[in-house]
């Protein structure tokens, strides 16, 4: 009986329940959008259900890898991710790139499915940053300003290639997700505030200066930094959502109307009086707000909070430094997606084309998030205290 209880405790049912609820919300919202509102085919919610089944299988496989095994294969996975990002620039889906403006998708001709390699490459990127910080902390047990600068240099070194490749794909939204992952791991790594504060101030000045130049001298940004018109339109729409409601601001203003018209409890499943472009993906929150109102939107946010809380709790329970940085990367990935997607739907943040985790249509994003969940689940499943030995880049462990 004791072994059975111990085996059961290795599965984190709080995380499973949260993801299951998000899956139900996503499939119901996609059914409402594609079948009831748009009067289209049921193919979209069925395909999303299939992607969920595949995602669960992938997460289950990843869960079987303990931190020692992940440590060993991190380097191989990182360079495999870089290779995938590079190949995307060569074999990207041309017709889709013309429509979306991004070279982020590869199409598999036989099964006619497109996938976004940058979604999968997030996981190796998180693993590499986590391993780098763990190695550094062992080598520099006495933290100094110099050692912290060395750590930042290492993290930036591992970030340059994925950042450059994704920016070359013309995908600013995904680049921001990678930046959020980097920032989260840097903050947890223990880098001193006397270093982080000046960097934060510089970045703030650059961001504020860029917005100022967009408003008053965008020609300089075009010539000096290669900014494109669609990027200016996104900032214009963010600063003044109602400046051109028939063109560039049409999508976001329609989302405002849909969410606002839902009021407190919503109009009901499949009931919509407002047309919202790309409602099944980037603007899925507009469907939730219109169908289920403020209460439905708030419940969705609460489920995300429960999911993140359970992921953080696993880190404290397992006490594994390498896992702690991995969890930080996964949590930052999911939280940034949630904040950006909901934020752009309600006008707080610029539109960047970032999907809502576990809810929006899209197999690549869903699989990428499920891979992250698999990493978190592996912490509880193995439940060992691994310590980096510093000898031959290895761990030694003691079962709890």
């Amino acid at each position: 009986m004791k072994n059975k209880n111990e085996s059961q405790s290795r599965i984190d049912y709080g995380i499973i329940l949260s993801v299951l609820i998000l899956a139900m919300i996503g499939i119901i919202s996609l059914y409402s959008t594609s079948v009831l509102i748009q009067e289209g085919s049921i193919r979209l919610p069925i395909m999303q259900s299939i992607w969920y089944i595949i995602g669960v299988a992938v997460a289950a496989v990843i869960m079987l890898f303990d931190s020692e095994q992940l440590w060993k294969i991190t380097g191989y996975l990182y360079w495999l991710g870089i290779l995938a990002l590079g190949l995307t620039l060569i074999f990207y889906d041309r017709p889709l790139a013309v429509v979306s403006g991004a070279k982020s998708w590869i199409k598999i001709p036989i099964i006619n499915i497109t996938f976004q390699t940058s979604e999968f490459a997030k996981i190796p990127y998180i693993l590499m940053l986590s391993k780098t910080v763990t190695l550094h902390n062992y080598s520099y047990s006495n933290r100094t300003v110099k050692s912290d600068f060395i750590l930042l240099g290492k993290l930036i070194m591992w970030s340059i290639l994925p950042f450059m490749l994704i920016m070359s794909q013309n995908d600013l939204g995904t680049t921001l997700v990678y930046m959020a992952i980097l920032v989260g791991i840097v903050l947890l790594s223990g880098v001193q505030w006397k270093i982080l504060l000046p960097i934060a101030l510089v970045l703030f000045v650059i961001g504020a200066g860029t917005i100022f130049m967009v408003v008053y001298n965008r020609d300089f940004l075009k010539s000096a930094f290669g900014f494109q018109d669609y990027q200016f339109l996104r900032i214009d729409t963010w600063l003044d959502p109602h400046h051109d409601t028939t063109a560039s601001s049409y999508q976001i203003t329609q989302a405002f109307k849909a969410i606002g018209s839902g009021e407190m409890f919503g109009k009901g499943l499949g009931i919509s009086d407002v047309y919202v472009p790309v409602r099944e993906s980037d603007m899925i929150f507009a469907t939730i707000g219109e169908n289920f109102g403020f209460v439905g939107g708030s419940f969705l946010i609460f489920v995300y909070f429960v999911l993140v809380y359970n992921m953080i709790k696993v880190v404290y329970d397992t006490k594994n430094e390498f896992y702690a940085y991995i969890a930080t990367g996964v949590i930052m990935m999911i939280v940034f997606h949630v904040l950006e997607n909901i934020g752009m739907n309600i006008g707080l943040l610029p539109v960047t084309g970032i999907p809502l985790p576990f809810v929006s249509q899209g197999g690549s994003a869903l699989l990428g998030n499920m891979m992250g969940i698999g990493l978190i689940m592996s912490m509880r499943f193995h439940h060992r205290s691994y310590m980096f030995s510093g000898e031959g880049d290895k761990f030694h462990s003691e079962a709890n």
Side-chain angles (χ1 to χ4, degrees):
M1 180 64 67
K2 181 179 179 180
N3 291 335
K4 183 178 179 180
N5 291 334
E6 287 177 354
S7 177
Q8 289 177 345
S9 68
R10 296 168 66 187
I11 305 297
D12 196 304
Y13 294 103
I15 293 177
I16 293 176
L17 180 61
S18 299
V19 174
L20 179 62
I21 293 174
L22 290 173
M24 294 173 60
I25 293 173
I27 293 172
I28 291 172
S29 299
L30 287 175
Y31 178 80
S32 174
T33 298
S34 61
V35 180
L36 301 180
I37 296 177
Q38 299 177 353
E39 298 181 353
S41 169
I42 199 173
R43 180 180 182 275
L44 198 61
I46 290 178
M47 284 301 300
Q48 190 74 353
S49 301
I50 293 173
W51 281 117
Y52 255 110
I53 294 172
I54 297 173
V56 168
V58 170
V61 171
I62 293 176
M63 187 178 69
L64 299 178
F65 288 81
D66 60 28
S67 58
E68 186 174 10
Q69 294 168 325
L70 290 171
W71 181 274
K72 293 176 181 178
I73 64 175
T74 289
Y76 302 105
L77 294 177
Y78 174 83
W79 289 111
L80 184 62
I82 295 298
L83 177 62
L85 292 174
L87 291 176
T88 303
L89 290 172
I90 302 173
F91 301 106
Y92 67 90
D93 188 342
R94 265 69 177 175
L96 186 56
V98 172
V99 175
S100 65
K103 305 173 183 178
S104 305
W105 290 270
I106 292 180
K107 188 173 185 178
I108 304 177
I110 300 176
I111 57 178
N112 198 31
I113 291 179
T114 58
F115 62 93
Q116 190 173 359
T117 56
S118 57
E119 293 291 344
F120 306 125
K122 290 174 184 174
I123 302 304
Y125 177 66
I126 290 171
L127 289 173
M128 180 55 75
L129 295 188
S130 303
K131 182 174 181 178
T132 300
V133 177
T134 305
L135 277 169
H136 179 88
N137 287 346
Y138 176 81
S139 301
Y140 296 90
S141 55
N142 296 322
R143 302 295 292 268
T144 63
V145 172
K146 180 181 178 181
S147 68
D148 286 350
F149 269 117
I150 293 174
L151 175 58
L152 286 176
K154 293 176 182 177
L155 295 177
I156 292 173
M157 179 187 69
W158 291 117
S159 302
I160 289 175
L161 269 179
F163 281 22
M164 289 178 60
L165 290 170
I166 296 172
M167 287 298 293
S168 298
Q169 296 174 8
N170 206 17
D171 191 351
L172 177 61
T174 304
T175 305
L176 293 176
V177 177
Y178 277 70
M179 291 180 64
I181 293 170
L182 174 62
V183 169
I185 292 178
V186 167
L187 290 176
L188 191 70
S189 68
V191 175
Q192 300 177 44
W193 279 103
K194 63 178 68 175
I195 298 174
L196 294 179
L197 185 58
I199 294 175
L201 290 175
V202 169
L203 293 176
F204 174 79
V205 171
I206 292 174
T210 300
I211 294 174
F212 179 85
M213 296 299 288
V214 167
V215 176
Y216 295 104
N217 191 1
R218 58 183 59 184
D219 289 336
F220 172 76
L221 293 177
K222 280 186 177 182
S223 59
F225 299 101
F227 274 62
Q228 300 183 27
D229 290 335
Y230 82 93
Q231 294 171 324
F232 293 130
L233 286 176
R234 288 181 176 180
I235 296 178
D236 291 338
T237 302
W238 173 49
L239 296 176
D240 185 8
H242 303 284
H243 82 285
D244 188 5
T245 56
T246 61
S248 60
S249 298
Y250 179 71
Q251 183 186 40
I252 191 65
T253 53
Q254 291 299 103
F256 291 167
K257 293 175 185 178
I259 294 171
S261 65
E263 298 183 345
M264 182 62 70
F265 298 103
K267 302 173 182 176
L269 182 67
I271 301 176
S272 174
D273 304 317
V274 183
Y275 170 72
V276 182
V278 202
R279 189 194 279 261
E280 69 280 357
S281 181
D282 299 343
M283 297 296 167
I284 192 70
F285 190 75
T287 294
I288 296 170
E290 188 174 13
N291 287 175
F292 305 107
F294 176 80
V295 172
S298 299
F299 175 74
L300 174 65
I301 295 172
F302 174 73
V303 176
Y304 280 121
F305 172 81
V306 173
L307 174 62
V308 172
Y309 169 79
N310 278 281
M311 289 193 292
I312 295 174
K313 186 174 181 294
V314 171
V315 179
Y316 279 99
D317 290 343
T318 54
K319 298 178 178 65
N320 181 315
E321 183 181 4
F322 181 44
Y323 265 146
Y325 296 120
I326 293 174
T328 300
V330 174
I331 291 169
M332 288 298 295
M333 176 181 73
I334 293 175
V335 169
F336 185 83
H337 271 264
V338 173
L339 292 178
E340 172 58 32
N341 183 276
I342 295 179
M344 73 182 186
N345 270 264
I346 62 179
L348 291 180
L349 296 170
V351 176
T352 57
I354 291 179
L356 191 59
F358 308 105
V359 177
S360 291
Q361 176 265 338
S364 299
L366 179 57
L367 282 181
N369 290 325
M370 291 302 291
M371 289 167 68
I373 292 298
L375 288 176
I376 302 293
M377 294 289 291
S378 71
M379 302 183 192
R380 177 77 69 191
F381 187 76
H382 297 284
H383 206 271
R384 292 180 177 181
S385 296
Y386 281 91
M387 298 195 60
F388 179 65
S389 66
E391 298 176 0
D393 196 24
K394 297 178 180 178
F395 272 98
H396 69 269
S397 63
E398 293 179 0
N400 285 343

